[in-house]
Amino acid sequence: MLHLAGVAEECGFDSFALNDGTFQMRDTRGVYPYGPNKQRNWDLETPFFEPMTLLPALAMQTERIRFFTSVVKLPLHHPLILAKQIATAAIMSNDRLAIGVGASWAPEEYEFCGVDWSKRGRIMTESLEVLHLVLSGEMVEYHGEIFDFDPLLARPAPRVPVRFLIGGHHEPSLRRAAQLADGWIAAGPPSMDDLRPIISRLRELCEEYERDWDTFEIHAYPGDVRNLDDFKRLADIGVTDAATLPINTGTGEVVVDDPTRQRLAGARIDEAQDPDRPYSGVPSAAKTDAVHRFADNIVSHFKHLN
């Protein structure tokens, strides 16, 4: 990943993201909504590195590219401890860190960590409120249903406020994103048709909460985006950051057009390899080649136009 982050920066990508893999349950009652047949679509032995440890290390090997979590399962992390991790990582990355958060789809993750699954929405909300307070570096206190503490401060604090992005496609998540965060991250690979009503609703909610829509980030990686025209359409519906995973072969016919809000992040898996296990068995060189290929066919044209 150290090498891949450097290659991505050299190729003009804007950001590099990692998710919060926690641990892999052998059996689960949870329904993974984004995989074939609602099942997990990765090998359970796949290594997932802890993002708050690895991302600042990657940042220290680069100069420009932005790093963010996509996503940390926020209710599984106590916000007072996570605030210290975020502040440290933000400073180590020279203020190139953003935090994407989600709730997780698996009840076992909550049970094994001693967290109440039924209160995950409330925990999400209070955790975000606590993080905003504590990351200010000022003396703060909080008295909620889940978290309750008297005046305290935690320093060092980030020099620039850390931006938060929230995942989740249901109304409570969208409302939470518009009220408490700086953007929204799509979960899984929704189509552009799926995204349109969600983005429209987010805009309504931002107006309701008097948030600045022009600075609100929309991150997505739809499965039906294959070429430059598709990325232009993605920008037209309001997506600001188009994510993609190694390996990406969706480089179709290149047609230069004017993307107004587009930034590109990361590198997409070639689903033709193994549709049931798309992340398994991909050699490092193939990922690097994919980043270069995607940059040549897509990123370079956006950078030229911007």
Side-chain angles (χ1 to χ4, degrees), residues 118-137:
S118 69
K119 294 183 178 180
R120 62 193 182 280
R122 187 61 202 165
I123 297 172
M124 280 277 290
T125 296
E126 290 197 14
S127 292
L128 285 163
E129 292 173 345
V130 169
L131 286 171
H132 284 305
L133 285 173
V134 176
L135 288 171
S136 70

Side-chain angles (χ1 to χ4, degrees), residues 78-91 130-141 149-160 162:
H78 196 289
L80 289 178
I81 304 303
L82 184 60
K84 176 61 69 176
Q85 294 175 294
I86 291 173
T88 301
I91 291 168
V130 169
L131 286 171
H132 284 305
L133 285 173
V134 176
L135 288 171
S136 70
E138 302 300 324
M139 189 69 69
V140 297
E141 61 183 288
F149 54 85
D150 293 330
L152 57 78
L153 64 80
R155 292 186 180 175
R159 291 159 294 202
V160 175
V162 173

Side-chain angles (χ1 to χ4, degrees), residues 1 19 21-24 41-49 277-281 287:
M1 290 193 190
N19 67 355
T22 60
F23 47 82
Q24 307 303 312
N41 62 341
W42 62 90
D43 190 324
L44 298 187
E45 296 184 1
T46 299
F48 287 85
F49 292 95
R277 289 289 182 268
Y279 305 113
S280 63
K287 295 177 184 177

Side-chain angles (χ1 to χ4, degrees), residues 8-72:
E9 181 170 79
E10 292 171 4
C11 288
F13 285 88
D14 289 299
S15 40
F16 190 107
L18 288 176
N19 67 355
D20 185 10
T22 60
F23 47 82
Q24 307 303 312
M25 301 75 63
R26 186 188 65 183
D27 304 305
T28 178
R29 304 187 310 278
V31 175
Y32 183 69
Y34 316 113
N37 302 316
K38 305 298 183 181
Q39 301 294 317
R40 290 173 283 186
N41 62 341
W42 62 90
D43 190 324
L44 298 187
E45 296 184 1
T46 299
F48 287 85
F49 292 95
E50 200 285 308
M52 298 308 301
T53 304
L54 183 55
L55 289 179
L58 299 178
M60 294 179 73
Q61 299 296 317
T62 56
E63 296 180 356
R64 176 193 57 81
I65 198 167
R66 183 189 191 201
F67 294 89
F68 66 97
T69 58
S70 180
V71 294
V72 163

